[in-house]
Amino acid sequence: MPTMPKNILKEGSNETLTLKHKALLQQQGYVDGAWTGARSGKTFDVLNKATHAKIGAVPDMGAEETRAAIAAAAAAFPAWAAQTGKARGDLLTKLFQALQEHAEDLAHIIVAENGKSLAEAKGEMAYSNSFIEWFAAEAQRSYGHTAQPTLPAVRANVITKQPLGVAGLITPWNFPAAMITRKMGAALAAGCTVVIKAPAETPFSPLAIAYLAEQVGFPKGTINVVTCAKGETEAAVGKEMCENKAVKKLSFTGSTRVGQLLMSQSASTLKKLSFELGGNAPFIVFADADVDKAVEGALACKLRGSGQTCICANRIFVHEDIYAEFSSKFAKKVDALVVGYGMQEGVTHGPLVNQMGVDKVQKHVDDCVKGGAKVLVGGKKGEGFFFEPTVLADLPASCPMDDEETFGPVAALYKFTSEEDVVKQANDVDVGLAGYFYTENVSRAWRVAEALQVGMVGINTAIISQNTVPFGGVGFSGFGREGGRDGIAEYQSDKLMVWGK
Ligand code: SIN
């Protein structure tokens, strides 16, 4: 059985977050260059996800404060947009340097508010900062183009790129820093100003990033952060971002259900949208795969962030010829994991982010077991938000993972017999974010990579996220791409200038 924490809630109840640079733990929203509370004076507590000790409290802001943040971003936009790409890039480079300098403290904030292990949190900071570094350089590399005239009276067609205006950024708690920088870096590089709705579970990372941006000299109003509790005020903040005409772009990462709501709320203002929504990633191991490599890949992919990423493997299909070998090697690896408080030495995996997540994972396991699945490892919740890393074998004909993301540390192993069948099964979902497969056969590799209906495919690899590539999905996984060469274009519009003779 994986090692699980004991008495952590009791022993960790006085746990405090100690930072080298204490000012990184900001406990106010950031609007128009000022650190500010909610107009109602209300705040809410944010807990350490492993120990449940209070980390701090932040304002419960609503529509009114969001309107003020949008107005500040709109006022800051003309001057920011008028700067050269190089000037914007230089400031982003300064932010990158500050983020690197404070990466360790920022990783500690992530461990506390998200729960992931310190090694994972440090990995997230490297990933997060790489987006600022990337977009700092991209700021200078935003090209328009020309097109040949087809009308005799036209001398030239010139297409330039223009920043859209205020961008509303709604980000999730699973990558408290990286999901901010992937959006914010692109928006600021393009010349947009931003209003960030910080996730209720993890508001301290966005606030720390805003604090460092302030320190390196971002003009007031270019970056604003609104904090809000789950429920009514959170819904009001999202609605304001959608319905406010001054917001010209909305970028959202989160569930398909919320994406659908935001899309309908944005209809009246016809803003440009990019949505990175849920996934249900297939992970296929063909009979000709390098099994050890596939086992390592499945472990990394399934259990990244304790299974709480949109691109975690959700259905692991293994060919019948290697099923026994794969499942026993994989189960052995999962068995050896050390689950606990991420700041403790040797801990590989942390808790889930909240009780709702734990309950959903337990329900998925229970439903599968009721249907006849075998539990090879784990299967039970622990103290607080902890859940045992779990391996389920011999999945029944119908189980929750078939059409729903587990978003937790449960590896569901399905047996398959033919390539045709497994591709059909892999594609038999509405979402299409990421997919992975292992094979040593090159023809099969091209064939399956083309056939999987997803935005991103890992071929003999299971870690695919990088700053240089487009991240995004198809179908109910949303639209638009983040990062990579085209990430900046999500925050721009093409302006056509037709020059007469
Ligand atoms: C996500 O879970 O939404 C993002 C994962 C990643 O960027 O790798």
Side-chain angles (χ1 to χ4, degrees):
M1 279 296 145
T3 310
M4 288 284 281
K6 290 198 180 73
N7 296 325
I8 190 160
L9 300 187
K10 205 161 141 220
E11 284 166 14
S13 58
N14 293 321
E15 176 69 28
T16 49
L17 176 61
T18 42
L19 302 174
K20 282 194 214 123
H21 191 77
K22 292 193 173 32
L24 284 168
L25 190 72
Q26 289 293 331
Q27 304 195 48
Q28 299 267 274
Y30 186 59
V31 176
D32 203 13
W35 295 94
T36 163
R39 301 220 166 142
S40 65
K42 282 191 192 152
T43 61
F44 65 98
D45 291 349
V46 181
L47 304 186
N48 179 309
K49 301 305 178 288
T51 63
H52 294 197
K54 177 176 163 182
I55 305 171
V58 292
D60 188 10
M61 295 169 142
E64 210 184 323
E65 295 87 337
T66 309
R67 254 191 310 279
I70 293 168
F77 172 67
W80 182 246
Q83 294 210 20
T84 60
K86 167 143 173 52
R88 290 195 297 266
D90 286 348
L91 206 44
L92 282 165
T93 299
K94 283 193 187 156
L95 177 59
F96 168 68
Q97 287 159 348
L99 288 164
Q100 291 286 88
E101 191 190 327
H102 296 285
E104 182 143 341
D105 271 349
L106 292 164
H108 290 190
I109 293 177
I110 293 176
V111 174
E113 66 179 354
N114 167 280
K116 63 181 72 172
S117 70
L118 184 59
E120 279 200 285
K122 285 183 177 171
E124 174 173 347
M125 280 319 299
Y127 182 46
S128 168
N129 299 352
S130 77
F131 288 111
I132 299 295
E133 185 182 32
W134 171 258
F135 284 114
E138 284 296 283
Q140 285 193 66
R141 287 193 210 105
S142 175
Y143 305 109
H145 66 284
T146 60
Q148 288 185 28
T150 53
L151 299 171
V154 171
R155 182 179 302 279
N157 294 310
V158 179
I159 296 102
T160 63
K161 297 275 180 195
Q162 295 199 310
L164 287 167
V166 176
L169 312 179
I170 305 187
T171 61
W173 46 260
N174 62 345
F175 289 88
M179 294 304 100
I180 304 270
T181 56
R182 187 157 72 186
K183 296 183 194 303
M184 183 181 106
L188 293 170
C192 294
T193 52
V194 303
V195 177
I196 298 165
K197 184 191 91 57
E201 297 84 351
T202 59
F204 294 119
S205 297
L207 291 171
I209 293 170
Y211 166 76
L212 291 176
E214 180 187 47
Q215 297 298 303
V216 301
F218 272 84
K220 77 181 179 111
T222 43
I223 300 170
N224 304 273
V225 183
V226 173
T227 56
C228 50
K230 288 216 86 61
E232 249 175 64
T233 46
E234 179 182 49
V237 170
K239 191 162 182 281
E240 182 63 33
M241 282 197 179
C242 294
E243 293 180 353
N244 193 312
K245 269 206 260 182
V247 176
K248 304 296 180 194
K249 162 81 191 185
L250 184 73
S251 177
F252 168 67
T253 296
S255 72
T256 299
R257 184 188 60 76
V258 175
Q260 286 166 326
L261 175 70
L262 296 177
M263 190 161 178
S264 68
Q265 287 178 345
S266 296
S268 63
T269 53
L270 286 176
K271 50 186 56 68
K272 188 167 172 177
L273 304 173
S274 37
F275 283 176
E276 194 262 277
L277 308 177
N280 187 337
F283 184 104
I284 308 171
V285 190
F286 288 101
D288 55 21
D290 177 331
V291 174
D292 292 326
K293 219 192 219 179
V295 165
E296 287 302 335
L299 194 72
C301 182
K302 175 64 248 182
L303 293 168
R304 184 170 171 231
S306 294
Q308 300 171 107
T309 90
C310 301
I311 57 170
C312 278
N314 203 47
R315 295 164 296 151
I316 303 178
F317 299 101
V318 185
H319 192 272
E320 58 183 357
D321 290 355
I322 51 158
Y323 187 86
E325 181 189 356
F326 179 93
S327 46
S328 90
K329 283 182 168 169
F330 181 67
K332 210 161 146 203
K333 292 268 180 193
V334 175
D335 229 16
L337 298 176
V338 181
V339 180
Y341 176 30
M343 289 304 291
Q344 280 166 359
E345 189 77 24
V347 164
T348 57
H349 292 80
L352 300 186
V353 82
N354 56 27
Q355 190 59 45
M356 215 168 68
V358 174
D359 294 343
K360 181 178 181 190
V361 169
Q362 188 71 69
K363 180 161 175 9
H364 275 205
V365 172
D366 293 347
D367 287 357
C368 289
V369 170
K370 256 183 239 149
K374 265 201 240 114
V375 180
L376 298 189
V377 183
K380 292 189 298 298
K381 58 182 170 198
E383 275 186 82
F385 302 154
F386 286 95
F387 201 98
E388 291 174 339
T390 298
V391 184
L392 300 176
D394 304 337
L395 272 276
S398 146
C399 59
M401 291 83 174
D402 293 348
D403 41 35
E404 195 187 14
E405 249 181 322
T406 304
F407 232 65
V410 180
L413 307 186
Y414 299 65
K415 204 183 278 181
F416 76 91
T417 50
S418 80
E419 178 184 315
E420 199 188 346
D421 280 353
V422 78
V423 168
K424 206 158 149 229
Q425 251 181 296
N427 286 338
D428 192 19
V429 286
D430 290 331
V431 288
L433 192 56
Y436 311 86
F437 65 91
Y438 282 71
T439 178
E440 295 292 302
N441 178 322
V442 178
S443 312
R444 189 203 298 277
W446 274 105
R447 209 165 46 233
V448 175
E450 284 176 354
L452 288 178
Q453 289 160 13
V454 293
M456 301 170 281
V457 191
I459 304 147
N460 292 328
T461 187
I463 297 296
I464 57 174
S465 304
Q466 304 149 75
N467 59 354
T468 51
V469 302
F471 190 103
V474 297
F476 280 48
S477 289
F479 42 81
R481 292 294 180 266
E482 297 195 283
R485 197 186 63 184
D486 299 324
I488 196 168
E490 297 284 341
Y491 296 88
Q492 296 169 320
S493 65
D494 284 351
K495 164 74 62 71
L496 167 64
M497 298 178 193
V498 182
W499 292 80
K501 284 186 175 151

